[in-house]
Amino acid sequence: MSRFEDIYGHAPEAEASAPGRVNLLGEHTDYNGGFVLPIAIAQQTRVAMRRNGQAQFSLHAAELGQSVRFTLAQPPAEHFASYVFGCLALAREHGAQIPPLDIHVASEVPIGVGLSSSAALEVSTLRCLRELLGLPLDDVLIAQLAQRAEIEYAGVRCGIMDQMASSLADTSRALLLDTRSLERRFVSLAPGSAVLVLDSGIARSLAASGYNQRRAECEQAAALLGVASLRDVAEVAQLGALPELLRRRARHVVTENARVLQAVDCTTAAAFGALMNASHASLRDDYEVSTAGLDTLVALLQAQPGVFGARLTGAGFGGACVALCEADALASVAQAVLAAYRLTGGAGRQLVPAEA
Ligand code: GLA
């Protein structure tokens, strides 16, 4: 993979990185003002910058082997560049004077599987700008600007989980986040348990359109119930007046929020795992963001000795599954499940822990 020096011929002035994340519980709750429980992963995105003294910005993405030139007057057409452009534009809107830069991006975070490669790119870009220009941005403000970059420049009406996780989570404990107040605290995993993430190999088709549609359905349900957001609904019994489809969507959100709050009080990995299994069923049946391949992979994980629980993770429609396993069994679980998944015609791979 190329480095800044290889592309631009000299060293960068500033460098920064930010991790991807895997969400353990609390899916599709963040844009409803609810609770989430992500943990950072070891894979990082690294951004390097240098003032170039020219009229245009240059951006090189090492994985794609692609370079783009642009000015802040006009968003670039290339999708990957829109995340970086959005961060630059929003930092400027926030008062920063941003001179034209040479920018290099290198990422280990798998793209398009639900591990927040886009949040890692946004947060590392903003961290690098903060470092280069001495900007007064704290980690929460970085997450908020990063979320706006995703919504306003990449076209996904996401919540704030991914950017908060990339900006504030760590890899050893999960981050319990109230997405409405942004109150948060770290939560330890049960001793002897570990997180395994497998990619289903199914591309996330329809992710952006299906995602925005789910969000609109939740807003419709909240409006019909006369609440600001579904976070304000405490009991499934309050959903009875909704039309059937909206009732199922809202039931997922209400029960998922409850599962996150139960999970942080769990004393055993088995109890935590049972909540993950229930989350998957709810995402599959009520929220309808699973696919046949994800259901197969999750069922194989759930059936494997040494697995406490498993579910799809991220927005769904394809991508990755997360399982909580006995730490000692992790390698054998991954091997057995990937082999069984291959027999069903699937092509999976292990994403977390990252294989050397
Ligand atoms: C994507 C979004 C997040 C969140 C999840 C679903 O990752 O970026 O804001 O809504 O989907 O939980």
Side-chain angles (χ1 to χ4, degrees), residues 8 15 17 46 48 57 65 89 100 118 126 128 140 146 154 170 198 203 224 227 236 261 268 274 307 327 345 355:
Y8 298 111
E15 291 177 275
S17 60
R46 288 168 222 288
F57 289 74
S118 58
L126 286 162
C128 196
V140 170
D170 73 38
L198 300 179
L224 287 172
V227 293
V236 168
L261 296 178
T268 65
V307 173
E355 287 182 302

Side-chain angles (χ1 to χ4, degrees), residues 119-179:
L121 174 55
E122 291 147 3
V123 171
S124 54
T125 298
L126 286 162
R127 281 182 175 168
C128 196
L129 269 183
R130 171 171 71 185
E131 167 80 20
L132 179 75
L133 304 172
L135 303 180
L137 305 175
D138 66 23
D139 291 340
V140 170
L141 185 53
I142 282 197
Q144 290 168 323
L145 292 175
Q147 180 200 17
R148 281 185 57 198
E150 181 103 17
I151 295 175
E152 294 171 30
Y153 293 89
V156 177
R157 294 185 61 217
C158 64
I160 201 161
M161 165 171 66
D162 303 347
Q163 292 78 13
M164 283 293 282
S166 183
S167 191
L168 288 141
D170 73 38
T171 54
S172 60
R173 293 163 306 164
L175 180 73
L176 170 66
L177 173 69
D178 176 335
T179 62

Side-chain angles (χ1 to χ4, degrees), residues 21 23 26-31 36 114 116 118 147 150 156-163 204 211 311 314-316:
R21 66 96 189 94
N23 190 21
E27 218 65 86
H28 291 278
T29 49
D30 62 351
Y31 52 82
V36 295
S116 293
S118 58
Q147 180 200 17
E150 181 103 17
V156 177
R157 294 185 61 217
C158 64
I160 201 161
M161 165 171 66
D162 303 347
Q163 292 78 13
R204 291 195 306 169
Y211 183 91
R311 52 185 288 275

